[in-house]
Amino acid sequence: MSKRAKRGKSETLALPVIGRVAIGAMAAAALGYGLLYHPASVQPIRTPSTHQVLVPSTPAHVPAPAPAHAVASAPTPIPAPAPAVRVETPKAADVPGKLVRQVVDYVSHQTPGTVVIDTGNTFLYLVLNDAQAMRYGIGVGREGFTWSGEQTVARKTEWPDWRPPAEMLTRQPYLPRFMAGGPGNPLGARAMYLGETEYRIHGTNKPDTIGKRVSSGCIRLTNEDIIDLYERVKVGAKVIVLPATAARRPSQGTPPDADAALPSPPNRPSATNAQVPSPEPKMAEAR
């Protein structure tokens, strides 16, 4: 075969291949055009309404709870000491205003816990410090039955029994020889016995006698006040009884020194020297 014939045959075979390539290119172009101008369906962006809560895209940081062993090992903070305050006035008893139990200014050089009895003004002072005292209204001995001096609290009794002494029974033979402790007892809720004398600081079932001179030498308080005083005063505490004629109010300064020997009324034993024959102190009159 001549060269011319071979060339014609090659050209004849090459035409279909070129056609196929052209057709493929056209098909690819058509597919790309369809994808470009007919995209897949896209969901529209929804704008939240005003009633919806907007949540930030970045989550808030929430600290993780501390492990149990870390909490247990943490040191306990030491509380700061409270500032010193003045003693507050406690609940008042049902007595006239000036006899209400209260904290008052009271200049004294006596040891805290000392009891000072102002017979003339019917007040009992429990020394709290060198500038304050708890003041109680009291009933004191009537004319001829007052006394003065210094004693100590020998013993204390709750709801004491009452045995009227012989001299009281002589004057008032109708009195019982014995009365068990209780609300109806003339000695009231508590009693504190002064040394070996016949005198006591005690309660009363007649609160209307507070502020008056009605007893046979004992010092009486309302039951509410004697309970309060009883809890504050210790056995062995000093008790100073001022004479009625020399008693002074707290505003006048330090009460007179009760260590010196003070006179007592006629026919009455001195509070400092009174003794009883029996091993137990003689029971004082309750009225």
Side-chain angles (χ1 to χ4, degrees):
M1 184 178 293
S2 65
K3 292 180 179 181
R4 192 172 188 174
K6 290 181 179 180
R7 183 184 304 167
K9 186 175 181 178
S10 300
E11 292 177 353
T12 303
L13 293 173
L15 287 175
V17 173
I18 294 173
R20 288 196 294 270
V21 171
I23 292 171
M26 292 177 64
L31 179 62
Y33 178 82
L35 293 174
L36 179 65
Y37 290 94
H38 295 84
S41 61
V42 179
Q43 295 293 333
I45 299 174
R46 298 179 61 186
T47 303
S49 63
T50 58
H51 299 287
Q52 293 177 324
V53 179
L54 298 179
V55 180
S57 58
T58 304
H61 174 68
V62 179
H69 65 83
V71 175
S73 61
T76 303
I78 301 175
V85 295
R86 291 170 64 89
V87 181
E88 297 182 358
T89 301
K91 182 181 177 181
D94 186 17
V95 293
K98 70 174 185 176
L99 300 174
V100 167
R101 182 174 83 243
Q102 57 189 293
V103 175
V104 297
D105 293 331
Y106 190 79
V107 179
S108 173
H109 300 297
Q110 298 295 335
T111 305
T114 299
V115 174
V116 180
I117 297 173
D118 183 346
T119 306
N121 295 306
T122 64
F123 288 139
L124 182 150
Y125 296 92
L126 174 63
V127 176
L128 302 176
N129 49 56
D130 58 0
Q132 285 184 296
M134 186 77 74
R135 189 179 75 184
Y136 304 79
I138 58 175
V140 298
R142 61 184 179 271
E143 184 67 27
F145 289 85
T146 58
W147 58 279
S148 59
E150 181 179 320
Q151 276 295 331
T152 57
V153 176
R155 64 188 180 96
K156 302 173 13 174
T157 305
E158 298 184 10
W159 296 106
D161 298 333
W162 179 45
R163 294 178 177 85
E167 61 177 4
M168 187 175 184
L169 291 173
T170 300
R171 295 194 307 269
Q172 304 176 64
Y174 53 86
L175 293 176
R177 270 53 180 172
F178 171 81
M179 182 179 290
N185 193 300
L187 298 182
R190 303 288 188 274
M192 294 183 283
Y193 298 83
L194 304 181
E196 296 183 353
T197 72
E198 58 184 23
Y199 301 118
R200 288 160 295 191
I201 301 172
H202 61 80
T204 180
N205 57 3
K206 293 186 176 181
D208 58 329
T209 60
I210 301 302
K212 300 177 182 178
R213 294 165 173 81
V214 294
S215 77
S216 296
C218 287
I219 306 302
R220 63 176 62 180
L221 296 83
T222 63
N223 280 337
E224 181 183 14
D225 281 357
I226 191 61
I227 291 174
D228 181 85
L229 182 66
Y230 186 94
E231 297 299 325
R232 298 174 185 270
V233 175
K234 307 302 181 183
V235 172
K238 182 193 297 185
V239 178
I240 301 171
V241 181
L242 305 177
T245 56
R248 296 188 294 173
R249 295 183 183 278
S251 60
Q252 295 175 314
T254 306
D257 188 0
D259 293 336
L262 297 172
S264 298
N267 301 324
R268 295 291 292 176
S270 168
T272 306
N273 302 319
Q275 302 290 333
V276 291
S278 60
E280 295 186 357
K282 182 181 178 182
M283 302 298 290
E285 298 179 31
R287 300 191 181 187

